[in-house]
Amino acid sequence: MKFDLVIAGVGGQGNLLASQVVAKCAIDAGYNVVNTETKGAAQRGGSVLSHVRISDTEIYSPLVPTGQAEVLLGFEPLEALRYINLLSKKGRFIINIAPVPTILANMNVDEYPSTGQIIETIRGKGFDGYFINATQAAKDLGNVLLTNVVMLGALTAVNDVLPAEVIIAKLLTLVDEKFHKDDIEAFKMGVELSAQSRKG
């Protein structure tokens, strides 16, 4: 068994917590796991890419090679496009369509295309997956910081390794109890969004 996950986003979105949740779940299940991040120049507002490698055999590299990820979880659409080629042709993606331009984009060093252009480009590459608005779902729940939890819930649509109940249970062990109710609601929202996307 091999499961390679990459989470592409922008600093401050909570993708590091999300990758840690998945990694800890896999460790608890008895798999070999390597979890690492590559970060842009700024912790908040810079590009952040998390690699989670899960296997029942030895893992030789902490980084997911190009074309080998089973799942790309895109917390931010342009960052997802930037790293879409890490995804296997048989892999699948879930991408949050709400843009969060990086510091470089805000400084006009990077040009930020429209969301429509990003979606069209990703679809044109022939990968299978779903586009959702996890940020809007989090806002509807009253806290945009829940976006990462919505995305973890949505991961259930493309993840055959770790059950949803295991993922949410592990998340709740890593956050303050006062946030548990909101996290459970956000996770359920992500599961529902992924289910709606599958039907659509």
Side-chain angles (χ1 to χ4, degrees):
M1 192 285 297
K2 177 185 78 71
F3 181 75
D4 285 339
L5 166 69
V6 287
I7 304 177
V10 172
Q13 287 191 293
N15 43 332
L16 301 186
L17 174 62
S19 68
Q20 289 168 6
V21 169
V22 174
K24 288 178 183 293
C25 286
I27 291 170
D28 289 348
Y31 293 113
N32 295 319
V33 180
V34 177
N35 176 207
T36 190
E37 289 82 34
T38 55
K39 303 178 184 179
Q43 183 176 359
R44 182 167 295 273
S47 176
V48 179
L49 182 69
S50 299
H51 303 249
V52 185
R53 309 201 71 188
I54 302 169
S55 178
D56 54 8
T57 59
E58 192 169 352
I59 300 170
Y60 295 100
S61 170
L63 302 180
V64 177
T66 299
Q68 290 196 24
E70 275 73 36
V71 173
L72 168 70
L73 203 58
F75 279 33
E76 201 284 332
L78 185 58
E79 292 303 309
L81 174 58
R82 195 186 306 275
Y83 296 108
I84 194 71
N85 288 334
L86 291 175
L87 192 60
S88 163
K89 288 299 181 182
K90 295 181 180 180
R92 288 179 291 174
F93 64 78
I94 288 189
I95 296 173
N96 177 25
I97 63 171
V100 182
T102 64
I103 288 176
L104 291 178
N106 289 330
M107 293 171 61
N108 295 320
V109 175
D110 281 346
E111 180 181 353
Y112 200 102
S114 71
T115 302
Q117 288 175 312
I118 294 172
I119 292 174
E120 183 180 353
T121 302
I122 291 173
R123 283 184 171 148
K125 291 181 177 292
F127 294 107
D128 182 28
Y130 312 105
F131 295 95
I132 65 173
N133 196 331
T135 299
Q136 186 58 54
K139 288 179 179 178
D140 290 345
L141 292 170
N143 188 349
V144 71
L145 295 178
L146 292 169
T147 300
N148 62 337
V149 183
V150 176
M151 291 298 289
L152 273 176
L155 177 62
T156 60
V158 293
N159 159 45
D160 298 323
V161 177
L162 303 170
E165 60 269 20
V166 171
I167 295 175
I168 184 60
K170 179 56 65 177
L171 172 67
L172 296 181
T173 69
L174 299 175
V175 298
D176 193 295
E177 188 174 351
K178 66 184 179 182
F179 300 121
H180 284 190
K181 181 180 178 181
D182 289 343
D183 284 331
I184 291 169
E185 288 302 311
F187 191 86
K188 287 179 179 177
M189 181 71 76
V191 173
E192 291 172 6
L193 285 174
S194 62
Q196 292 169 9
S197 297
R198 288 199 301 274
K199 291 175 182 177

